[in-house]
Amino acid sequence: QVQLVESGGGLVQAGGSLTLSCAASGTIYSINIMGWYRQAPGDQRELVATFTSSGIINYADSVKGRFTISRDNAKKTVYLQMNSLKPEDTAVYYCNANLRVSYYRIPQDYWGQGTQVTVSS
């Protein structure tokens, strides 16, 4: 069983900062991509940032220069440092990991339960 456990969400004023963490646990052979997505009420889930096993980082245009993704492979953990938060960043943030549970299995996507981030104006 694979679990992704997120932490760090909460309520913050505009201009403030939050750091999200997501730790993967269970039977894991390798992790290809770890990342963050978010979903605001009435909207589709959208990519925020991803970090591949080879070190390639991708950000949504809306968060470039404000958010920083990092990854600790030894801890199987991905972080999202969010600065200069805006009310439009309000959403449920989901951790995603594309990983293999064994050498013989193809990579699959796993999701965390989501953590609420609310930015007040």
Side-chain angles (χ1 to χ4, degrees), residues 75-96:
K75 295 182 179 180
K76 298 185 179 67
T77 299
V78 64
Y79 306 93
L80 186 68
Q81 173 68 43
M82 304 184 292
N83 298 326
S84 304
L85 282 160
K86 305 175 181 179
E88 51 264 43
D89 294 318
T90 296
V92 177
Y93 283 69
Y94 295 92
C95 175
N96 170 268

Side-chain angles (χ1 to χ4, degrees), residues 27-49:
T27 304
I28 298 171
Y29 174 75
S30 64
I31 303 177
N32 300 322
I33 305 172
M34 297 191 82
W36 293 94
Y37 291 72
R38 67 186 181 187
Q39 187 168 18
D43 290 346
Q44 290 188 331
R45 190 172 298 188
E46 63 176 8
L47 179 147
V48 176

Side-chain angles (χ1 to χ4, degrees), residues 44-83:
Q44 290 188 331
R45 190 172 298 188
E46 63 176 8
L47 179 147
V48 176
T50 58
F51 199 135
T52 73
S53 58
S54 57
I56 298 172
I57 293 174
N58 183 43
Y59 293 103
D61 288 343
S62 59
V63 307
K64 282 180 182 176
R66 301 188 298 123
F67 290 11
T68 301
I69 189 170
S70 60
R71 177 172 168 172
D72 186 330
N73 290 327
K75 295 182 179 180
K76 298 185 179 67
T77 299
V78 64
Y79 306 93
L80 186 68
Q81 173 68 43
M82 304 184 292
N83 298 326

Side-chain angles (χ1 to χ4, degrees), residues 94-110:
Y94 295 92
C95 175
N96 170 268
N98 181 265
L99 59 86
R100 299 169 72 179
V101 298
S102 78
Y103 174 81
Y104 302 101
R105 300 288 295 273
I106 62 172
Q108 290 183 297
D109 280 328
Y110 292 83

